[in-house]
Amino acid sequence: MITYVIEGGTPLDGEVTISGAKNAAVAIIPATLMVKGVCRIENIPQISDVSVMLNVLKSMGASIQTVNGHTYDIDCSNVDTCSVHTKERIRASYYLAGALLGRFGKGVVPMPGGCDLGDRPVDQHLKGFRAMGAEVSIQNGNIVAYGGTRLHGAGIYLDVVSVGATINIMLAATLADGLTVIDNAAKEPHIVDVANFLNSMGANITGAGTDVIKIRGVEELHGGFYSIIPDQIEAGTYLAAVGAAGGRVLLKNVIPKHLDSITAKLEEAGMSIYENDDSILAERNGPLKSINIKTMPYPGFPTDMVPQLAAMLCLADGTSYINEGIWSNRFRFADEYKRMGANIQVSSKIAIIEGSKEITGAVIKACDLRAGAGMILAGLAARGQTVIEDVYHIERGYEHIVEKFCGLGARIKRVIGPDKTDFRGAV
Ligand code: EPZ
């Protein structure tokens, strides 16, 4: 078993470089299935969700050359199968469906996995595929889609603002015959990044980043070069870590605009934030103030930052309220924080956090990607030692997180083997 062992109480100090955006990379990599030629993609994060996606493409016959740890040459010209066989389950596997429908007009893809945040339906994805002429069914745990040799354009109104459905329909529409209009589209930065990638390979997509995206189908996509945007949630995580542990950290390779809702809340909580073109300096010396948060689709406050802010707010003066607007199971971290002495009450989609003077280290278990990241922040802020189990959740989406925190002076180590200090059974 691999655990993270953290000795809390040390303020952070130094610089950290933010990696490429996970949620852009796990969409752009399958999108290369639609390209005839070599895509050189830069700033790909070294995380397990990316490794899984690259291995799936390789299993389908793609040629993938490593240029360096963050840059790959991906050539899917010789891929001749539209069925995906993998035991691995990640949320983003559904993008393979949109890409295969775009390339071949059909696809068989395993139903997605990913974090257990409650019900994670794909009905809006399927609604879009069907509107473009595909017959879609769920069979034996797979999404089975068949649209003849080529889909046709359509007008699609999303009943729910969905990142995945917006991207997946954009993929399927890129090589379809005619115009597709996505109404009520999600506007996250990674959606714009996927559209920019496709356009750099010859697609004709306008409106990404607004709630109406127009995709004019083209005959084919050519190879080219693309660099993935920085990960705004990784950046937000390190900013919240300064809030939790105190100190002063410079984040490099960020797009401050993408973090507006996050930095606004951190300043409201009493942190000092200084923005430059591609960097952010964050500082917290004094006490934290309690704040209220409501999560919304972008540009609202992101649900993927809730566990990180909650860890910080466990030490704020007063009572904070978090109203979760996206996932029914976002607060799974609360019970783990309570083991550290935090005072959190959860009812349905509301968490009420009574700030306390301190929290103490404990043995806790990561239960999803962002909850695991929040637990690191809680461990950094706690008095004593924290051991985090099931850290594979964290390593799905954070590149070299232990090394990056060590570079900021945190006392954290990645321990391989049975944990010798397991208090979980202590009475
Ligand atoms: C993406 O998930 C992200 N994952 C999630 O980040 C993120 O929390 C989420 O967007 C919201 O920002 C990836 O990009 C791989 P949605 P996704 O479709 O696309 C409902 C992380 O930590 N819905 O925007 O699955 C759904 O139930 C991960 O990096 C439908 O009802 O999310 C939810 O309530 C965790 N029908 C809401 O929409 C559908 O067909 C938003 O979901 C699709 C979604």
Side-chain angles (χ1 to χ4, degrees):
M1 171 170 76
I2 298 174
T3 58
Y4 292 166
V5 179
I6 302 164
E7 297 297 338
T10 307
L12 300 178
D13 182 46
E15 298 183 353
V16 62
T17 299
I18 299 305
S19 302
K22 164 180 95 75
N23 292 342
V26 296
I28 287 171
I29 292 169
T32 62
L33 277 167
M34 299 194 292
V35 179
K36 287 228 171 34
V38 178
C39 299
R40 171 161 291 192
I41 304 174
E42 213 180 53
N43 206 30
I44 292 180
Q46 291 179 352
I47 54 177
S48 59
D49 271 11
V50 162
S51 311
V52 168
M53 194 60 87
L54 290 172
N55 289 336
V56 167
L57 288 193
K58 275 184 200 152
S59 72
M60 297 172 74
S63 153
I64 298 178
Q65 303 299 319
T66 304
V67 177
N68 61 46
H70 296 99
T71 306
Y72 292 87
D73 283 345
I74 303 176
D75 184 353
C76 295
S77 309
N78 297 327
V79 170
D80 58 4
T81 173
C82 62
S83 295
V84 177
H85 303 289
T86 173
K87 293 263 178 296
E88 302 272 0
R89 299 182 66 206
I90 55 169
R91 181 73 189 155
S93 62
Y94 50 40
Y95 292 138
L96 292 158
L100 288 168
L101 276 170
R103 165 88 177 261
F104 298 114
K106 56 190 173 188
V108 180
V109 173
M111 283 290 280
C115 295
D116 175 10
L117 295 169
D119 187 22
R120 296 193 71 174
V122 292
D123 59 299
Q124 299 300 302
H125 302 237
L126 308 190
K127 170 183 176 179
F129 296 159
R130 288 179 177 124
M132 290 190 275
E135 283 175 30
V136 190
S137 59
I138 307 292
Q139 297 173 26
N140 313 107
N142 292 314
I143 300 172
V144 179
Y146 181 76
T149 50
R150 191 180 185 191
L151 300 184
H152 59 70
I156 299 151
Y157 177 83
L158 291 182
D159 305 331
V160 181
V161 176
S162 160
V163 170
T166 300
I167 291 177
N168 225 350
I169 293 166
M170 200 160 64
L171 295 178
T174 292
L175 295 171
D177 180 14
L179 171 66
T180 296
V181 180
I182 306 173
D183 225 324
N184 200 28
K187 299 182 269 196
E188 274 69 2
H190 32 288
I191 291 170
V192 178
D193 211 30
V194 175
N196 289 341
F197 163 75
L198 291 167
N199 284 338
S200 66
M201 304 295 156
N204 185 345
I205 300 171
T206 54
T210 74
D211 52 12
V212 180
I213 301 177
K214 292 183 179 172
I215 306 104
R216 289 171 177 78
V218 296
E219 292 305 313
E220 73 171 31
L221 299 179
H222 53 70
F225 167 82
Y226 194 75
S227 186
I228 289 176
I229 56 169
D231 191 318
Q232 83 273 19
I233 302 299
E234 184 197 16
T237 301
Y238 286 101
L239 293 176
V242 178
R248 187 172 192 270
V249 169
L250 177 68
L251 273 63
K252 297 161 75 175
N253 188 39
V254 294
I255 301 175
K257 174 75 190 149
H258 291 169
L259 286 104
D260 280 353
S261 63
I262 298 168
T263 48
K265 280 297 170 186
L266 294 176
E267 285 181 311
E268 202 180 308
M271 288 181 64
S272 303
I273 303 283
Y274 309 96
E275 294 181 358
N276 287 307
D277 292 345
D278 62 352
S279 64
I280 295 178
L281 176 66
E283 202 164 12
R284 201 268 290 173
N285 298 310
L288 285 168
K289 300 172 202 155
S290 56
I291 57 173
N292 299 330
I293 291 170
K294 172 149 181 54
T295 68
M296 306 278 284
Y298 189 88
F301 188 88
T303 175
D304 294 346
M305 278 298 302
V306 162
Q308 302 90 313
L309 263 286
M312 210 178 97
L313 295 171
C314 289
L315 296 159
D317 292 340
T319 304
S320 299
Y321 295 82
I322 301 178
N323 185 337
E324 167 62 26
I326 310 287
W327 300 114
S328 56
N329 212 5
R330 171 52 82 192
F331 297 119
R332 296 174 69 206
F333 57 85
D335 287 343
E336 301 302 302
Y337 289 6
K338 285 177 185 171
R339 292 172 58 82
M340 303 173 79
N343 185 338
I344 300 184
Q345 298 308 319
V346 173
S347 72
S348 180
K349 288 187 162 183
I350 304 275
I352 301 170
I353 303 172
E354 297 284 351
S356 40
K357 283 279 169 271
E358 72 167 12
I359 55 176
T360 54
V363 178
I364 52 180
K365 198 185 278 278
C367 42
D368 63 63
L369 167 59
R370 306 303 176 184
M375 289 175 204
I376 294 176
L377 274 50
L380 293 173
R383 176 170 56 80
Q385 183 180 86
T386 296
V387 177
I388 304 175
E389 299 174 340
D390 290 355
V391 297
Y392 64 87
H393 286 289
I394 303 170
E395 297 182 348
R396 280 187 41 220
Y398 285 94
E399 176 180 296
H400 305 157
I401 192 164
V402 171
E403 295 82 349
K404 288 189 178 184
F405 269 121
C406 287
L408 296 174
R411 290 181 295 162
I412 178 174
K413 58 186 177 191
R414 186 172 189 270
V415 175
I416 298 172
D419 171 37
K420 299 174 186 55
T421 54
D422 181 353
F423 312 117
R424 191 171 279 274
V427 290

